[in-house]
Each structure stands twice: as structure tokens, then as C-alpha cells.
Amino acid sequence: MNLSDGFAQHWIQVFKKYLQPGDYILLAASGGLDSTALAHLFKMHQIPFVLCHMNFQLRGDESIRDENFVRSLGIQLGVKVLVKKVDTKQFAASHKLSTQEAARELRYNWFAEILQEFYKNEYVQLGNFLHAKFVATAHHADDSIETVLMHFFRGTGIDGLKGIPALNLAKKIIRPLLPFSRAQLASFTTMNQIEYITDSSNATNDYTRNYFRNTLIPQLQEVFPSVKDNLLHNMTRIGEVAELYKQAVTKHLNSLTEYRGHEVHIPILKLLNVNPLHTIIWELIKPFGFSAAQVNEVIKLSTAVNGSSINAPKYRIIKSNAWLIIAPMASLDANWVVINGEGLIEFNGGKLQIQLINKPNKIVAQPNFEWLDAHKIKFPLLLRKWKQSDYFYPLGLTKKKKLSKFFSDCKLNKIQKEEAWVLEMDKKIIYVLGYRIDNRFKYSDTSTELMQIHYRT
């Protein structure tokens, strides 16, 4: 069976069930062996597709050559071509990424953009393109082997040893060439006299993947001639084991985690009694951007002083009494809103409804409602996040109290403190939202008009 026949069988078994008549595939095309072979296979099997080429502008004239080749390939195969030029080095510098990471992020972001917005602007000219359903990449078996080895030496969980997935429904990515080796693709292009271009950077070991491809794997083959086949078989077995592993981990995580809004609460005593501890903690923190190296930090955090924390780029884990709390990082933006009168105010911390009313004969306490003496208050008011220097006179007290001390007395955890807002008038706090009004602005028997405040998160 030649590659073309094998491709057809694989396509029908794995991918075709997800497509409807008229669906297009967006084929990521570099002009190299892999994507050019896939383009010809699509054409050979009458699979409708559009070529998508990103010019990363990293190799001068060679980048221009690649773009022109893909445009010519589109003419040769009679298909549409989309091209986008990006400044990869500038993107990498501004986002603090390596060149490889930047190129990957730019590429996949563009794929997602095309799938979502192909019906706008330049994409409308593609005619019946409203049925574009997947992006196809030309990853093959050798790519998957290299990825697994890189994951293994860097450190990874079991999912990192399964290889590149053939199908990602969430991101609409398909990889039809994964069962086939680079040698098979080269044989296919030679047999069918298919021309392609070669990226000169592939011959260097400047990138980690190139080192594995050009040096490490060939050296392993000298000792273990069947190393690639063995790794592919291992990846299949690991994939099956991973399914069982996932079921067991899910059961543990469901018993350990309590979701409270945007936070995940984990009881420390229960966590420390699970087995295997390191594995469960890794699976617990991985979705929030923490690294495998931080597993031991989580264990240390469980016995640290209250309020201690460890950070990831977007989340952190905080020790709060008998709990570990995973929560989004607090925003570093200035948080304040000027209020010039009555009405509904929507802000980062929730909603605040302010209304001036005549004092009723009887005020019935209601959750999340407060009443102040309207004659003691003048607009504008300032709604803002609290700060360490803040103080106020809590209702019922005639002495001022620092807000930090008030929060400690209320036994608020670190996250609750950071999420606290205050309503201020002329540098005086009149209300700590959700907790207490200031005693100086309370209403009395002689009050005739009230400011009614309804706060909800």
C-alpha cells in the first residue's frame, strides 16, 4: 500500500466523519516537503482546501522565496491562497518569547482568526468559504517523536509522552499525516515528481528541535536501529495508559476541589493525604499555568504561615488557614470610578445602585442594602480599591480604625482583602462595600432623606 492509499484510509477513518459536503480545510503551507505533499494529497483525493502561508520575515530573501512558492503552488493546484506577513522578532521581544514560541503563537492565532472571521474583509472574496471547518497542519510521525523526546528531557506529565494529537476539536486542528514518516513523504514527492523548497535553517542546530532531528535521533539509531518504530509503539501504549490515568486523576480532583466563583479551594489536610501526592498536585495546578517545578513549592506552602503564596503568570496559590486557594492574580490597573449622582454603577468589583429616598417610617434590613444620611453626603463620590493607609469609623464606634485591622478582625483572607472596595467622599470613607458603613454618616431619628446603596457582586 502506497502513502496515497494509506492517507485515504486514514482520512476516511479519522477525519471525514467531522466534515459535511462543502466544508473547506485551511491548509497551513510553508512550501516545504510536508505541507506541499499534503496539498497534493488533498488535491488527489478531491478534498476542498485553501492554502494559508505566514511569512515570518526571519530569513530575508528566503522568506520571500517561500511566499512566492506557495502562491505559485496555489496557481498550480487551482486553489485560493491566503498570506500574512508578521514581524516575528518584534513580537517575540514585546512578549518576551523565544523566536520559535513567537512564531508558533502568531501562526495559531492567525488560524483561529481565519476560522472566526473569514467572512469579513479580504476573506469574503473566497466565495463559498462560509463552511471552512478545520485548519490542517502537516505534522508527521517524525515530528511527533521529536516532540515526545523534547518533552521527556524537559520534564512532563503523562500527556506529554503521547505525541502530537491527530485531532483537536476545540481548536479545530487536524493533522492528517501523523501516521506517516518523513521518509514516506519524501518517497511520495519523488515518485510523483512534486517540487518543494527547503528551509536552510533546518540544517543548523540553532533550534532545539533541529538538534534532536539532526544529531540526537541519528545517534540513537546507531545504537537502536528501530528506535523510531519503538517510540511510536510506546506512544500508542502511553496514550492508552493516559486514558486510565485521566479517569483516576479526575476522581481525585473532584473530591479535592471546591469552586467558589473564580477561585478553587483545596482543603490542605485532605490534599496531603492523597497518594501519589506529587502527581495529584501537578494535575491540580497545571491548568492554571504553574510549572512542574512548583509542585514542591505547593507542598511547602501547605505548612507555611497564613497569607503566604506562590505565583504563576496569571494565577497564584495562597495559604489561607486550612485551605489552599487558587485565584486569578489581582489586577495591577488603577481601579476607581467617579460618581456624580444617583444611578447604577457597574465596575470591576460588581454593581452599585445609589438612590436618594425620603426616609420611610420604618427601615427593614435587607441583604446588601445600606442607608446613609443623605444630608451628610455631597457628590462627587469616589469608588476605589482600598489601600493600606485607609481608615474609617466603623458603624457603632466613635474611634477610627485602620481598614487593614478591620479586615483582619473580620478574618478575611488575602484574596478577599484584595477584592475589597470603598466608597469615599472628600477623602473620607463612607462605606466599605459589603462590610460596614462609616459611623459618621449613619442616619438618625432626625434624618429626613437617605442615600440608599445596593451593592452586589
Side-chain angles (χ1 to χ4, degrees), residues 130-143:
L130 292 176
H131 300 291
K133 199 161 188 179
F134 286 99
V135 171
T137 67
H139 292 96
H140 48 69
D142 293 65
D143 292 322

Side-chain angles (χ1 to χ4, degrees), residues 34-306:
D34 315 332
S35 60
T36 303
L38 183 54
H40 280 270
L41 284 165
F42 276 175
K43 187 69 175 180
M44 188 179 297
H45 293 286
Q46 299 181 332
I47 299 166
F49 67 102
V50 173
L51 291 172
C52 304
H53 176 77
M54 177 164 277
N55 185 340
F56 296 104
Q57 302 189 87
L58 291 171
R59 293 177 289 113
D61 291 341
E62 201 170 276
S63 292
I64 299 172
R65 177 208 65 179
D66 295 353
E67 178 183 326
N68 290 336
F69 178 86
V70 174
R71 291 186 186 277
S72 298
L73 181 62
I75 295 171
Q76 177 190 347
L77 298 178
V79 297
K80 299 289 185 180
V81 179
L82 294 177
V83 174
K84 183 171 184 177
K85 291 183 179 181
V86 292
D87 188 339
T88 308
K89 289 184 178 179
Q90 190 278 329
F91 183 86
S94 63
H95 290 77
K96 298 181 179 179
L97 299 171
S98 69
T99 303
Q100 279 185 305
E101 290 171 330
R104 175 182 170 80
E105 188 166 324
L106 285 165
R107 187 177 185 226
Y108 281 96
N109 286 348
W110 186 44
F111 294 161
E113 174 191 329
I114 295 173
L115 286 173
Q116 292 174 4
E117 301 189 25
F118 50 80
Y119 54 87
K120 296 179 183 177
N121 302 327
E122 68 265 32
Y123 303 128
V124 75
Q125 64 183 318
L126 296 178
N128 184 25
F129 196 35
L130 292 176
H131 300 291
K133 199 161 188 179
F134 286 99
V135 171
T137 67
H139 292 96
H140 48 69
D142 293 65
D143 292 322
S144 196
I145 290 170
E146 292 157 10
T147 298
V148 165
L149 287 176
M150 287 191 293
H151 285 170
F152 180 82
F153 288 110
R154 284 173 179 159
T156 184
I158 193 169
D159 279 345
L161 300 177
K162 294 191 304 183
I164 301 173
L167 177 68
N168 186 327
L169 286 175
K171 293 184 178 180
K172 300 181 186 293
I173 302 291
I174 57 174
R175 299 181 175 98
L177 296 181
L178 277 181
F180 311 105
S181 68
R182 180 177 177 83
Q184 286 176 292
L185 296 175
S187 177
F188 169 75
T189 55
T190 300
M191 186 182 305
N192 292 276
Q193 299 182 326
I194 296 171
E195 294 183 358
Y196 57 88
I197 54 178
T198 302
D199 182 342
S200 61
S201 67
N202 288 340
T204 71
N205 286 342
D206 293 344
Y207 300 125
T208 303
R209 183 177 292 276
N210 287 359
Y211 169 74
F212 276 78
R213 178 181 300 162
N214 301 330
T215 304
L216 182 60
I217 293 177
Q219 289 178 348
L220 289 172
Q221 285 177 303
E222 291 178 9
V223 183
F224 303 104
S226 301
V227 64
K228 287 187 178 181
D229 288 338
N230 293 340
L231 284 170
L232 287 171
H233 291 315
N234 287 341
M235 286 154 57
T236 300
R237 287 190 286 270
I238 290 171
E240 294 173 352
V241 171
E243 288 304 312
L244 297 175
Y245 170 86
K246 187 182 297 182
Q247 293 172 24
V249 167
T250 300
K251 185 176 179 180
H252 274 295
L253 297 187
N254 288 342
S255 69
L256 280 173
T257 52
E258 295 182 20
Y259 286 83
R260 304 179 187 177
H262 298 295
E263 302 170 6
V264 180
H265 291 235
I266 305 110
I268 292 174
L269 187 59
K270 196 171 183 179
L271 174 65
L272 295 180
N273 282 317
V274 301
N275 186 40
L277 178 61
H278 285 75
T279 298
I280 296 302
I281 290 178
W282 166 235
E283 294 295 342
L284 186 64
I285 67 175
K286 178 173 61 174
F288 300 97
F290 292 88
S291 68
Q294 290 177 288
V295 169
N296 285 327
E297 294 181 39
V298 175
I299 295 174
K300 291 179 182 178
L301 184 65
S302 65
T303 56
V305 297
N306 211 37

Side-chain angles (χ1 to χ4, degrees), residues 427-441:
K427 299 184 180 180
K428 298 182 182 69
I429 292 175
I430 65 176
Y431 176 33
V432 181
L433 271 62
Y435 296 103
R436 194 80 61 86
I437 64 170
D438 189 292
N439 195 66
R440 294 169 293 179
F441 300 93

